[in-house]
């Protein structure tokens, strides 16, 4: 079985600061794999282990400054995929999921697939759309909120974790599934896996090869931080008996 | 602000329909509802203010999301600039994305703001709630899921009548089959309404230790909440109790965090509280940028001490 696990490279949240004009300072932030895509990578590797002769390709799409980062590329590959496919281009900075999904669809057609896995949503936009858009663009079944996947020949039996119910669905393959964080616990890469990562193949796919031409139905106008509420910030440093008593006194003030 | 000529609405959850129809009435000239269900469901949509209601007969073993081509056919057929409004539920999001592709329409999830002029502009939270993003939509049709609380729910009025039409099911080319459905145990908590919330984070080493938080919560009369990993990774608490951008947005008088680091995705759900209090052993934890009162200390020492002092 050919599996593609998708992952986005995003700025490290803790490094993002707010400029005076309320815009976000992103260029100095470190980069990492978007948190919930770790579950998609892990799910691909776990499923491949149950299906003999399977391969897992990780696919990432984004601005070149992110996708060319060798440290994150290595991190992706150390999580068990056999190879990495990258579509990176300056033109992709700040694009919305509609465009990302078109590029991924082009890349996926080129790579070939039986199953594509996506995370629940990215740490930056968290639109929770990309996997669904991708499946619909490819003309294959596409299902979100998948908490469990079992492959039976040419179908996947999936459990969907919805707000009020668990739904079990038989999905003919190929398909695109977006997984929840409950589907697995992503493993921390071993030293061996980290060393092996640098020897794994990386394929660069150009926008032209992905058959993409830009025609977005929506674009970002601005990203601005709101005003923060003023807080007192009376912080006691230490947990001696007196300090806990002083803290209790503070709390008593507001409880009464 | 100008209005959208026609807005189509659907909700997989009956209790979200009043809010979505209210949004459609505010933003559009005509409101057309899709209903998968009975005549009674159609009458309910009419009573909330939909002018036209299409009723679709429920199909056996079919996911609700597989009505996307049926709905899209009617939206495309209207031949006007149009908007589709859905709830931000899992099914709502899936329908939104699929209809978006079918209609060549922009899709935006959990929008908190919609402005209609020559084009449509929507606002939604990005970067875990650190900022608000504004998106300009250029396609003639757009599909939005509305963040809850964006509009005051419409009140039903049985004297309102709609034009009732029968919808035809258009199956997708390839259709998965629903083979089972198990209802989940309903949760009784509604943290949005709680006045005081004591929130536990991953600073607790094991589930049994939550008793320390329960004791304090009882003493100060607070409802218990948690951070996302406590509910999702650890499974120590119900999903309905986690606070943050993807969970509950509090409007409490007091929010009290214990063993929570205060990442922005979490704090966005807590920042609506009047007073913020925190206990964490890490002096540099981001939570201390957001607090009114804090203590840098070990929760295993602070909680028992505090509980006996506040009794
Ligand atoms: C797209 C996206 C959406 C997200 N949505 C949400 C959301 O809605 N809600 C949410 O909560 N998270 C959300 N997250 C996750 C979020 O980024 C954080 O990972 C999470 O909030 C951290 O939870 P925590 O504070 O409990 O754990 P940690 O970050 O591990 O913090 C634990 C804290 O406890 C302290 N501590 C440890 N031991 C003790 C002790 N003995 N005494 C006192 N203090 C101690 C530590 O110093 C630390 O400060 C989201 C993430 C992403 C990417």
């Amino acid at each position: 079985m050919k599996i593609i696990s998708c992952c986005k490279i995003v700025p490290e949240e803790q490094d993002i600061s707010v400029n005076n004009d309320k815009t976000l300072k992103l260029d100095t932030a470190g980069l990492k794999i978007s948190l919930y895509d770790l579950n998609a990578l892990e799910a691909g590797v776990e499923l491949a282990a149950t299906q003999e002769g399977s391969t897992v390709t990780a696919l990432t799409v984004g601005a070149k400054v992110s996708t060319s980062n060798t440290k994150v590329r290595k991190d992706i590959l150390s999580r068990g995929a056999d190879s990495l496919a990258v579509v990176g281009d300056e033109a992709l900075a700040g694009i919305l999921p509609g465009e990302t999904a078109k590029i991924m669809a082009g890349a996926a057609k080129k790579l070939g697939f039986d199953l594509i896995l996506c995370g629940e949503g990215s740490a930056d936009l968290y639109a929770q759309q990309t996997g669904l858009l991708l499946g619909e663009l490819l003309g294959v079944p596409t299902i979100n909120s998948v908490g469990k996947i079992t492959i039976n020949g040419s179908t996947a039996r999936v459990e969907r974790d919805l707000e009020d119910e668990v739904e079990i669905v038989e999905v003919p393959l190929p398909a695109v599934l977006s997984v929840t964080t409950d589907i697995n616990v992503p493993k921390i890469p071993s030293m061996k896996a980290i060393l092996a990562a640098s020897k794994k193949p990386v394929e660069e796919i150009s926008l032209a090869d992905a058959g993409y031409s830009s025609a977005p139905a929506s674009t970002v106008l601005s990203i601005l931080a709101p005003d923060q509420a003023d807080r007192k910030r009376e912080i006691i440093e230490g947990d001696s008996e007196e300090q806990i008593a002083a803290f209790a006194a503070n709390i008593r003030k507001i409880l009464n | 602000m100008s209005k959208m000529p026609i807005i189509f609405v659907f909700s997989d959850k009956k209790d979200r329909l009043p809010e979505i129809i209210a949004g459609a009435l505010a933003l559009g000239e005509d409101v057309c509802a899709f209903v998968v269900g009975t005549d009674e469901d159609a009458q309910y949509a009419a009573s909330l203010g939909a002018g036209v209601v299409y009723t679709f007969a429920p199909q056996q073993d079919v996911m609700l999301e597989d009505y996307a081509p049926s709905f899209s056919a009617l939206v495309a057929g209207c031949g006007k600039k149009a908007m589709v409004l859905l709830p931000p539920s899992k099914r709502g999001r899936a329908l939104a994305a699929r209809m978006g592709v079918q209609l060549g329409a922009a899709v935006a999830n959990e929008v908190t703001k919609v402005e209609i002029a020559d084009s449509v502009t929507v606002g939604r939270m990005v970067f875990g709630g650190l900022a608000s993003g504004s998106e300009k939509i250029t396609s003639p049709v757009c599909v939005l899921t509305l963040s809850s609380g964006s509009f005051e729910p419409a009140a039903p009025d049985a004297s309102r009548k709609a034009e009732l039409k029968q919808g035809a099911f258009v199956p997708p080319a390839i259709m998965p089959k629903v083979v089972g459905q198990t209802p989940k145990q309903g949760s009784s908590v509604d943290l949005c309404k709680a006045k005081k919330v004591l929130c536990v984070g991953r600073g607790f080493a094991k589930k049994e230790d939550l008793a320390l938080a329960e004791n304090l919560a009882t003493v100060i009369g607070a409802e218990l909440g948690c951070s996302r990993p406590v509910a999702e990774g650890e499974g120590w608490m119900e999903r309905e109790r986690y606070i943050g951008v993807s969970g509950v947005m509090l409007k409490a008088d007091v929010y009290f965090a214990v063993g929570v680091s205060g990442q922005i995705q979490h704090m966005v759900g807590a920042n609506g509280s009047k007073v913020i209090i925190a206990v964490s052993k890490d002096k540099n934890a981001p939570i201390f940028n957001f607090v009114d009162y804090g203590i840098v200390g070990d929760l295993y020492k602070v909680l028992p001490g505090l509980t006996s002092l506040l009794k």
Side-chain angles (χ1 to χ4, degrees):
Chain A
M1 195 163 72
K2 276 185 106 161
I3 301 174
I4 299 177
S5 288
C6 304
C7 57
K8 187 170 188 177
I9 300 173
V10 296
E12 170 69 60
E13 293 95 334
Q14 299 194 34
D15 298 347
I16 304 174
S17 55
V18 178
N19 295 317
N20 287 337
D21 63 356
K22 302 275 180 225
T23 56
L24 301 187
K25 186 161 177 52
L26 298 168
D27 50 353
T28 51
L31 294 166
K32 65 173 185 184
I33 306 171
S34 183
L35 185 61
Y36 298 141
D37 291 344
L38 295 176
N39 298 97
L41 286 168
E42 179 76 21
V45 174
E46 285 182 6
L47 276 179
T50 69
Q51 307 292 307
E52 215 174 307
S54 296
T55 57
V56 182
T57 302
L59 170 63
T60 190
V61 171
K64 204 164 198 147
V65 283
S66 314
T67 59
S68 60
N69 185 293
T70 46
K71 203 173 125 256
V72 187
R73 283 185 174 199
K74 211 171 138 187
D75 189 14
I76 295 172
L77 284 168
S78 71
R79 289 170 193 271
D82 302 293
S83 61
L84 170 65
V86 180
V87 191
D89 197 288
E90 280 86 28
L92 305 186
I95 56 167
L96 288 168
E99 298 305 284
T100 308
K102 284 183 205 160
I103 298 163
M104 289 169 81
K109 276 189 204 150
K110 201 169 168 297
L111 295 166
F113 65 93
D114 299 298
L115 179 63
I116 302 181
L117 300 168
C118 293
E120 176 196 278
S122 65
D124 52 359
L125 298 180
Y126 200 55
Q128 296 168 272
Q129 279 177 30
T130 310
L132 295 158
L133 294 169
L134 174 60
E136 192 64 30
L137 283 166
L138 289 167
V140 302
T142 179
I143 295 182
N144 59 347
S145 210
V146 171
K148 192 171 172 201
I149 306 171
T150 322
I151 307 289
N152 294 317
S154 61
T155 54
R157 186 184 168 92
V158 309
E159 280 186 30
R160 295 183 78 199
D161 193 4
L162 302 170
E163 289 85 359
D164 307 328
E165 66 203 317
V166 175
E167 185 174 65
I168 301 167
V169 189
E170 278 175 5
V171 190
L173 298 177
V176 181
L177 306 176
S178 301
V179 302
T180 64
T181 58
D182 282 326
I183 194 162
N184 52 44
V185 180
K187 287 186 206 55
I188 295 165
S190 64
M191 205 54 214
K192 198 167 145 230
I194 294 171
L195 290 174
S198 31
K199 299 195 188 71
K200 289 181 177 175
V202 178
E203 181 181 355
E204 307 272 354
I205 300 174
S206 69
L207 287 180
D209 284 348
Y212 173 73
S213 59
S214 169
S218 56
T219 49
V220 174
L221 287 176
S222 65
I223 290 182
L224 297 172
D227 289 321
Q228 283 300 334
D230 264 338
R231 297 284 175 189
K232 288 198 181 64
R233 296 184 66 186
E234 285 184 24
I235 297 156
I236 296 166
E237 282 189 38
D239 53 13
S240 69
E241 239 168 75
E242 299 76 55
Q243 284 165 317
I244 294 175
F247 185 53
N250 280 340
I251 294 173
R252 222 178 268 119
K253 269 193 293 200
I254 43 170
L255 290 183
N256 297 327
Chain B
M1 192 164 81
S2 42
K3 282 194 159 186
M4 199 37 93
I6 181 161
I7 298 189
F8 295 86
V9 299
F10 174 76
S11 179
D12 61 307
K13 299 189 190 312
K14 203 174 167 188
D15 59 353
R16 293 302 308 277
L17 197 59
E19 200 178 330
I20 291 170
I21 290 193
L25 289 168
L27 299 168
E29 273 152 23
D30 292 330
V31 177
C32 174
F34 299 135
V35 165
V36 177
T38 60
D39 290 344
E40 204 185 317
D41 298 323
Q43 292 298 347
Y44 179 61
S47 76
L48 293 169
V52 178
V53 182
Y54 281 92
T55 309
F56 295 79
Q59 305 288 312
Q60 192 91 48
D61 306 335
V62 170
M63 285 190 306
L64 255 189
E65 289 87 337
D66 277 332
Y67 285 79
S70 316
F71 297 166
S72 292
L74 289 169
V75 177
C78 82
K80 297 182 200 166
K81 269 188 158 185
M83 182 181 278
V84 181
L85 289 182
L86 300 161
S89 58
K90 305 262 160 78
R91 292 194 194 280
R93 290 172 208 276
L95 272 168
R98 293 181 59 188
M99 290 179 71
V101 172
Q102 288 158 8
L103 293 162
V107 183
N109 267 337
E110 290 216 58
V111 303
T112 50
K113 210 172 82 188
V114 183
E115 273 168 25
I116 302 171
D118 293 340
S119 59
V120 177
T121 308
V122 297
R124 56 183 302 272
M125 266 194 239
V126 291
F127 289 98
L130 182 61
S132 166
S134 170
E135 295 172 15
K136 181 180 166 168
I137 291 171
T138 41
S139 52
V141 177
C142 61
V143 187
L144 312 178
T145 70
L146 268 189
S147 167
S148 74
S150 309
F151 292 92
E152 193 61 38
D157 173 353
S159 70
R160 287 203 191 112
K161 294 285 172 255
E163 187 183 340
L164 301 178
K165 298 188 178 184
Q166 198 61 47
F169 180 66
V170 183
I174 309 166
M175 199 157 59
K177 187 171 174 211
V178 177
V179 295
Q181 247 165 4
T182 335
K184 282 191 192 170
Q185 191 96 50
S187 168
S188 51
V189 284
D190 187 358
L191 276 189
C192 297
K193 298 207 173 79
K195 289 283 164 230
K196 292 179 206 149
V197 177
L198 185 74
C199 174
V200 306
R202 250 184 333 202
F204 286 79
K206 49 185 196 300
K207 188 175 180 188
E208 293 70 55
D209 300 345
L210 298 185
L212 294 174
E214 282 162 21
N215 292 343
L216 179 60
T218 311
V219 168
I220 63 173
E223 192 62 75
L224 276 187
C226 62
S227 66
R228 182 164 169 172
V230 166
E232 232 173 43
E234 305 292 353
W236 292 346
M237 278 200 204
E238 306 155 275
R239 296 295 166 86
E240 289 74 11
R241 288 190 192 265
Y242 88 71
I243 294 156
V245 67
S246 48
V248 182
M249 303 287 275
L250 297 180
K251 291 183 280 287
D253 292 334
V254 180
Y255 161 86
F256 191 151
V258 184
V260 173
S261 62
Q263 300 298 327
I264 186 70
Q265 293 98 346
H266 178 80
M267 289 317 293
V268 127
N271 278 338
S273 310
K274 287 193 192 115
V275 180
I276 297 186
I277 309 174
V279 180
S280 172
K281 71 174 178 192
D282 177 9
K283 177 171 163 252
N284 298 315
I287 186 107
F288 289 120
N289 297 325
F290 298 96
V291 297
D292 292 291
Y293 300 102
I295 185 164
V296 181
D298 186 348
L299 71 90
Y300 289 94
K301 238 181 120 185
V302 177
L303 289 195
L306 210 52
T307 307
S308 64
L309 286 168
L310 293 175
K311 237 177 212 154

